[in-house]
């Protein structure tokens, strides 16, 4: 017997050629020329400015504590957005590049 079926047809879709379920996904790339400073995901360089001297410290404990402080989230926006995107099988990459400000 012949039997086709299970294929998604010429337009693709959620079913693979063997009848297995495929999950479509999307990737979003975002390139920013500095910190996001508007809206719900706005971030501030103030935290970096507060610990900049400690980051350059030769004392390991001071530099380590300063680096740890920078890793704490300023807002829940990105964690919440990431969780929602993951549920929808969307990958979001955000690259925030230094703008005109110098952090040296």
């Amino acid at each position: 017997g012949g039997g086709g079926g299970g294929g998604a047809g010429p337009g693709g879709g959620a079913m693979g050629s063997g009848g297995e379920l495929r999950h479509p996904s999307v990737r979003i790339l975002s390139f920013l020329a500095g910190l996001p400073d508007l809206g719900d995901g706005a971030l501030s360089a103030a935290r970096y400015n507060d610990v900049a001297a400690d980051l350059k410290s030769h004392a390991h404990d001071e530099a380590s504590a300063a680096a740890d402080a920078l890793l704490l989230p300023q807002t829940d926006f990105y964690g919440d957005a990431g969780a929602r995107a993951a549920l929808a099988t969307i990958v979001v990459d955000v690259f925030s590049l230094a703008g005109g400000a110098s952090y040296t």
Side-chain angles (χ1 to χ4, degrees):
M15 296 296 284
S17 61
E20 74 279 2
L21 183 63
R22 295 184 319 173
H23 296 282
S25 64
V26 173
R27 170 167 248 135
I28 299 171
L29 297 172
S30 175
F31 295 88
L32 307 175
L35 288 175
D37 57 359
L38 293 173
D40 294 337
L43 300 176
S44 169
R47 182 185 296 175
Y48 176 84
N49 295 334
D50 290 344
V51 299
D54 291 338
L55 283 172
K56 296 176 184 176
S57 173
H58 293 289
H60 179 268
D61 291 341
E62 280 184 28
S64 179
D68 288 346
L70 290 176
L71 295 176
L72 297 173
Q74 289 185 26
T75 175
D76 292 334
F77 174 80
Y78 295 98
D80 295 343
R84 288 191 311 268
L87 287 173
T89 65
I90 297 173
V91 177
V92 180
D93 296 316
V94 179
F95 300 91
S96 181
L97 309 171
S102 174
Y103 298 111
T104 58

